[in-house]
Amino acid sequence: MAGIGSNSGKSYVITPKGEISQGQSWATFFTGLWHDLKRTWHLIRLDLKQQSFGLSLGHLWLLLEPALQAGAYYFLLTVVFAMRGSDATFAFFFVGITLWRSHSTLATSSPYFLSTKGHNYIEQGFGLKIAFLEFAAQEVLLFCVRMVVLIAFLIVAGYTPSITWLFILYVAVCMFAFSLALSVWLAILGVLVKDSAKLISHFVWLWWYLSPGLYSIKRIPAWAEPIFALNPFSYIIPAAHSALLDYTVTMDHVVSNGILCVVSLAFMWAGWRLLRRFGYILAQYV
């Protein structure tokens, strides 16, 4: 059985296989996008207020947490374990953690996405698209805030601003493309296999220590290099370190991150189509 309707100039057909769009003008598309972005912004502000409610330092914790984590690693590795080298500095750890926190948050919360935020937003009439847009945009916003803090720290620490620092924007786009593509598929997995949410958090924790955020790629033994070659963050984090701390951008960094971005966008598109088309099937598991 199928139904036909229209909404804001867009006609669509709803079938047992999901919603199939039939047409939409560009003006309608951009108008709808603008309204979606405004609603997303208000939802992000509300969510951030709820997160900081009752805290004496409020939103300052968003700035302090990455620095405190970097400080803990610096003390453990350089003071306790006497690690030495250009990769045993507070700045080195701070860069890696700033990038990793966004990915870690998205990956560990994705298995819960449909059963919490996605389900609630659908019930309230916002829809799955707004739920995922708010889910992604909030972490992008927090990443931008963390990057401002990181750049300010580097300048205070004596690093000279360079044109190579702009390369971090390219790295960030590639990283978020990968993280969000993974998030879509983990959201589906989290509904079909509920125990996966518990396993994913432990896997992400291990993933961090297998990524060159606490050590340079040069410390990896030869036998482990093929394993690290499968880790996207073995390309993301070194590119950030190179651009921000060493003032260099290599073609390898450009190509490897670019390939990661293109492949990730393809997987994200396929995953989103699956999520939207068979959303009614997944709903029965929520």
Side-chain angles (χ1 to χ4, degrees):
M1 185 174 181
I4 302 176
S6 63
N7 183 19
S8 302
K10 177 181 179 181
S11 61
Y12 56 88
V13 175
I14 299 178
T15 71
K17 293 186 178 180
E19 179 183 305
I20 303 176
S21 300
Q22 290 187 319
Q24 182 183 42
S25 67
W26 283 107
T28 302
F29 170 78
F30 285 112
T31 300
L33 179 61
W34 173 247
H35 288 306
D36 288 344
L37 291 175
K38 287 199 299 183
R39 281 189 292 181
T40 300
W41 169 244
H42 290 303
L43 290 169
I44 290 174
R45 291 179 59 191
L46 177 62
D47 195 23
L48 291 177
K49 286 182 180 179
Q50 291 175 341
Q51 291 182 29
S52 62
F53 180 77
L55 298 176
S56 299
L57 296 181
H59 293 312
L60 279 177
W61 281 112
L62 300 176
L63 312 180
L64 291 176
E65 285 180 338
L68 291 174
Q69 188 176 1
Y73 284 126
Y74 178 78
F75 175 80
L76 178 65
L77 295 176
T78 63
V79 178
V80 178
F81 291 104
M83 181 177 171
R84 295 293 181 267
S86 59
D87 56 351
T89 65
F90 183 87
F92 187 93
F93 301 148
F94 202 0
V95 171
I97 289 171
T98 300
L99 287 167
W100 180 260
R101 283 185 68 89
S102 294
H103 170 73
S104 175
T105 301
L106 290 171
T108 54
S109 58
S110 293
Y112 301 99
F113 171 72
L114 280 174
S115 60
T116 54
K117 188 183 293 291
H119 184 64
N120 292 335
Y121 277 38
I122 291 174
E123 282 190 334
Q124 296 168 12
F126 289 110
L128 193 61
K129 180 175 66 174
I130 293 294
F132 190 77
L133 187 60
E134 193 256 334
F135 174 73
Q138 178 171 312
E139 198 52 47
V140 171
L141 175 63
L142 293 177
F143 174 80
C144 292
V145 173
R146 296 184 192 118
M147 281 304 306
V148 170
V149 175
L150 173 62
I151 294 300
F153 164 78
L154 291 177
I155 294 174
V156 172
Y159 288 86
T160 304
S162 168
I163 190 67
T164 61
W165 286 13
L166 295 177
F167 186 66
I168 196 65
L169 299 176
Y170 175 78
V171 175
V173 169
C174 297
M175 182 196 72
F176 272 106
F178 169 72
S179 299
L180 292 174
L182 182 64
S183 295
V184 172
W185 289 97
L186 288 180
I188 298 173
L189 178 64
V191 175
L192 298 177
V193 184
K194 290 189 177 295
D195 289 349
S196 64
K198 301 296 184 182
L199 296 174
I200 291 300
S201 61
H202 292 288
F203 175 75
V204 170
W205 175 77
L206 177 62
W207 192 353
W208 162 241
Y209 290 103
L210 294 178
S211 301
L214 301 178
Y215 49 84
S216 67
I217 204 77
K218 297 177 181 178
R219 293 183 185 267
I220 299 171
W223 64 265
E225 290 180 358
I227 300 174
F228 273 77
L230 300 175
N231 181 3
F233 276 86
S234 65
Y235 309 103
I236 294 172
I237 295 179
H241 282 145
S242 179
L244 293 175
L245 305 182
D246 299 331
Y247 306 108
T248 58
V249 175
T250 68
M251 186 55 64
D252 286 343
H253 291 153
V254 176
V255 174
S256 59
N257 281 273
I259 293 174
L260 175 65
C261 183
V262 171
V263 173
S264 298
L265 290 175
F267 273 92
M268 188 193 307
W269 176 80
W272 181 249
R273 282 177 60 88
L274 182 65
L275 195 64
R276 290 289 301 272
R277 188 174 182 83
F278 300 106
Y280 80 100
I281 297 177
L282 298 177
Q284 65 181 304
Y285 295 94
V286 176

